[in-house]
Amino acid sequence: VCVRTSECVLWGRHRVGAANVISLSISGPAGQKKPVSASPREMEWAQMACHRCLVYLGDLARYQNELAGVEAEQLAERFYHQALSVTPHVGMPFNQLGTLAGSKFCNVEATYYYLRCIQSELPFEGAYGNLKRLFDKAAKMYLQVKKQELRKLSPTRQRSKDIKRLLVSFIYLQSLLQPKNNLLESELTSLCQLVLEDFNLVLFYQPAVPQCSPLAGEEEEDHDTRCSSLSDPLVFRMGVTCLMVVHSLKRAGSKQYSAAMAFTLALFSHLVNHVNIRLQAELEEGEGQVPPLHTEGTDDQEVKEPAVGLTLEEGTLPNGTA
């Protein structure tokens, strides 16, 4: 009802387009052919009304998911993203997405969304407290992961442990790279090196099916056994998180800006290197299968119709390439 009311106001009176934003068909009221002129203030009100309705719908879906046991997480996520489509400069939906993410992937997702909220043109004040609570947990999680390093595990579980160690160490590092934090340069350098080594190691893990289930916090130890590689969205959020932290440090004039910049550049260097490795592997694999050669219109009378599906291992190609 709220969405339909806002839709009618946006379209019928102000002609504010909401295509691909609201999941309802858009049609003007019967008999109305011309839009009513609206002041900029009315246009802003109409957009914010639609924004608030979408956020509230997302909250209702989130409550259903958390309290009533209804599988409505994707629905809530969609409403929040639709609210961002209406008013991208308002950070409130990012905060709600962080709350919806919970402790997934050792709080990496929630950290990303809270930082996005804080970096918005109109940030939500509650995001600062939410991010601080995550960072306060980071040190405890980091120490717990360090204590478990000596345990011998099977290759499959070792992969999961490597990924969890990376994610926990990554969030702990971001908690230290804050404008008001003061720590020894040697400690920061050692932690940056550890995270980069784990990042490089984990990127060698090829995706499996199922690829990855959300890694929760220390209270859900069994969940990390189902994660064999980093998903593309997770790698993206880690990279953007680094960029946002660098931006915050630069804006605050922090001494840790240079260290954060060096770490981010090194992390992207590893990422580009692995992209290159995977591209080369795909190209080499593609060269093993040679498509049939079409000889129509050729002047070379000695060229014969090649066998379909001829490969490099089956013989010499018509052009003389082995």
Side-chain angles (χ1 to χ4, degrees):
V1 176
C2 294
V3 174
R4 172 57 72 180
T5 302
S6 298
E7 178 192 354
C8 291
V9 173
L10 287 169
W11 173 257
R13 180 172 182 178
H14 304 307
R15 283 299 193 269
V16 176
N20 301 321
V21 175
I22 300 176
S23 301
L24 292 171
S25 60
I26 298 178
S27 59
Q32 183 173 347
K33 298 181 179 180
K34 295 183 180 180
V36 179
S37 60
S39 65
R41 184 176 180 180
E42 289 177 320
M43 293 287 290
E44 181 181 0
W45 176 90
Q47 286 187 326
M48 289 305 301
C50 184
H51 167 86
R52 284 192 294 269
C53 286
L54 290 167
V55 171
Y56 296 154
L57 287 170
D59 289 342
L60 291 174
R62 178 165 56 87
Y63 298 151
Q64 284 184 315
N65 183 72
E66 294 176 353
L67 304 178
V70 179
E71 294 292 335
E73 182 176 347
Q74 292 184 351
L75 181 62
E77 185 176 356
R78 187 177 69 172
F79 280 130
Y80 292 142
H81 282 294
Q82 288 173 338
L84 287 169
S85 298
V86 176
T87 51
H89 63 286
V90 180
M92 178 66 172
F94 283 123
N95 180 80
Q96 306 305 87
L97 284 167
T99 303
L100 180 65
S103 59
K104 288 181 183 177
F105 304 112
C106 302
N107 297 321
V108 171
E109 278 200 358
T111 299
Y112 164 79
Y113 285 123
Y114 289 145
L115 285 173
R116 287 291 304 268
C117 178
I118 292 172
Q119 297 291 336
S120 300
E121 183 178 339
L122 293 177
F124 173 63
E125 292 297 326
Y128 293 93
N130 293 334
L131 184 63
K132 185 179 183 301
R133 280 189 287 272
L134 288 186
F135 284 164
D136 290 341
K137 297 178 182 178
K140 179 181 177 181
M141 295 177 64
Y142 178 73
L143 292 176
Q144 183 176 5
V145 169
K146 294 290 288 183
K147 292 179 180 178
Q148 299 173 352
E149 286 185 352
L150 299 179
R151 295 171 54 185
K152 294 183 179 181
L153 303 170
S154 64
T156 301
R157 285 187 58 84
Q158 186 60 49
R159 274 192 173 198
S160 299
K161 287 297 179 182
D162 291 341
I163 293 174
K164 183 173 183 178
R165 184 178 66 245
L166 166 65
L167 299 180
V168 171
S169 301
F170 177 80
I171 292 300
Y172 179 54
L173 175 62
Q174 304 311 314
S175 71
L176 298 179
L177 290 174
Q178 296 301 309
K180 297 182 180 180
N181 285 348
N182 294 317
L183 66 161
L184 297 176
E185 183 177 352
S186 58
E187 179 183 357
L188 183 60
T189 302
S190 176
L191 183 57
C192 287
Q193 187 65 30
L194 174 65
V195 174
L196 290 172
E197 290 176 357
D198 284 342
F199 186 71
N200 184 54
L201 170 66
V202 168
L203 286 181
F204 278 108
Y205 295 158
Q206 294 296 321
V209 181
Q211 183 178 6
C212 194
S213 296
L215 289 174
E218 63 276 3
E219 71 279 2
E220 298 183 13
E221 185 70 18
D222 292 337
H223 281 196
D224 64 0
T225 61
R226 290 175 286 178
C227 190
S228 61
S229 64
L230 293 181
S231 65
D232 294 341
L234 186 58
V235 174
F236 169 80
R237 286 165 185 151
M238 292 174 69
V240 175
T241 296
C242 292
L243 294 176
M244 289 188 289
V245 170
V246 168
H247 176 70
S248 298
L249 292 172
K250 182 179 180 180
R251 187 169 53 184
S254 174
K255 297 180 180 179
Q256 299 177 8
Y257 165 73
S258 58
M261 176 63 76
F263 170 79
T264 301
L265 291 175
L267 185 137
F268 275 90
S269 176
H270 282 304
L271 184 58
V272 171
N273 181 53
H274 279 270
V275 169
N276 184 47
I277 290 174
R278 297 191 183 187
L279 284 176
Q280 287 182 341
E282 290 293 331
L283 291 174
E284 291 174 359
E285 182 179 352
E287 289 177 356
Q289 188 73 20
V290 180
L293 178 64
H294 298 284
T295 59
E296 296 180 3
T298 180
D299 295 331
D300 189 355
Q301 299 298 326
E302 296 181 0
V303 175
K304 298 180 180 180
E305 185 70 15
V308 177
L310 182 65
T311 62
L312 291 176
E313 293 76 15
E314 293 174 352
T316 303
L317 297 180
N319 60 6
T321 305

